[in-house]
Amino acid sequence: MLSTRTALRRAGTVAALAAAGVLTAAGVAFAHITVHPDSYAKGATDGVLTFRVPNEEDTADTTKVQVFLPTGHPVLGVLVTPQDGWTAKVTTTRLKTPVETDDGTITDVVSQITWSGGRIRSGEYQDFDVAFGQLPDDTDQLGFKTLQTYSDGKVVRWIEETQKGAEEPENPAPVLKLTAGTAGDGSAPMTASPSEPKATAKASSSDSTARGLGIAGLVAGVLGLVAAGVAIARGRSVRSS
């Protein structure tokens, strides 16, 4: 009985550790600030970008979010959606090279949006919606460097670029991929079909990562139980002999 109990305890420990590892890794995957949808057609017009900001601290609230928009490949016609409890401050920058559009010459663009006054508590997230008039058509992706300030004074800098083929950095900046193809009116992202609900269109790529980690955890737990079964069978064999 002693060996059987020992085997069961070991199997339970393995399963518990595997589950804890899965939850921890999944939490990390969901902790990043992301932009949704994660892709649009190049030159798309009249769309909305949603910046999803989760709180990854247990003892502090997020009190300020600063998103920096690229000016090398500017996003035109930016408008901020009012957010209950939050005040948005928009900063504009004069372009070195004006952009010619059907509506005229654009010389100034939004380069920074700062939300403050609200709170994102532990275990919660907040979506911040930004409407745009037109996305650039001369680049494959846009990075939005972001600063996240907590009530204890901590500032997390989500500014690291994700290199193709390399591991994701610790604090990656939200990235919007720009795909080739006909943008049309640009109101619908290229990654979502018209029949998909809004919540589905906003699903992050981290979902697939979390699912993969969950499967790995289940496999580890099953292997632990199998090991316990083998140990029990061996114990019974020894006693019968």
Side-chain angles (χ1 to χ4, degrees), residues 192-233:
S193 65
S195 60
E196 286 181 304
K198 186 176 181 181
T200 301
K202 287 185 178 181
S204 170
S205 60
S206 59
D207 292 347
S208 59
T209 302
R211 284 195 295 269
L213 291 169
I215 293 172
L218 290 175
V219 171
V222 170
L223 290 177
L225 293 176
V226 170
V230 171
I232 292 171

Side-chain angles (χ1 to χ4, degrees), residues 79-180:
L79 296 173
V80 179
T81 302
Q83 190 73 46
D84 290 343
W86 294 85
T87 299
K89 178 182 178 182
V90 176
T91 302
T92 59
T93 296
R94 183 169 292 274
L95 294 173
K96 294 181 179 179
T97 303
V99 177
E100 298 294 336
T101 70
D102 294 339
D103 297 323
T105 302
I106 305 297
T107 59
D108 297 86
V109 295
V110 174
S111 58
Q112 179 181 340
I113 304 172
T114 301
W115 288 275
S116 60
R119 284 184 177 271
I120 308 173
R121 292 175 172 79
S122 178
E124 299 178 349
Y125 72 90
Q126 182 71 59
D127 283 345
F128 297 95
D129 292 338
V130 176
F132 63 83
Q134 183 174 340
L135 296 176
D137 59 5
D138 57 351
T139 185
D140 293 329
Q141 66 179 33
L142 295 175
F144 299 91
K145 295 181 179 181
T146 304
L147 303 184
Q148 182 176 15
T149 302
Y150 286 91
S151 55
D152 60 2
K154 179 180 178 179
V155 178
V156 180
R157 300 169 61 84
W158 301 98
I159 62 174
E160 298 178 274
E161 296 182 2
T162 302
Q163 303 296 332
K164 187 175 182 180
E167 291 185 1
E168 185 178 64
E170 183 177 356
N171 295 314
V175 173
L176 176 70
K177 298 176 183 178
L178 297 180
T179 61

Side-chain angles (χ1 to χ4, degrees), residues 7-85:
L8 288 173
R9 283 199 299 270
R10 289 178 179 175
T13 301
V14 170
L17 290 175
V22 169
L23 292 175
T24 300
V28 171
F30 283 106
H32 299 165
I33 294 179
T34 52
V35 60
H36 302 271
D38 60 6
S39 70
Y40 259 107
K42 293 182 178 181
T45 58
D46 301 325
V48 175
L49 299 175
T50 298
F51 293 92
R52 178 159 295 175
V53 182
N55 189 329
E56 61 174 7
E57 294 293 321
D58 295 329
T59 59
D61 299 338
T62 296
T63 56
K64 183 166 69 173
V65 177
Q66 298 165 268
V67 175
F68 297 85
L69 283 69
T71 55
H73 304 283
V75 179
L76 306 180
V78 170
L79 296 173
V80 179
T81 302
Q83 190 73 46
D84 290 343

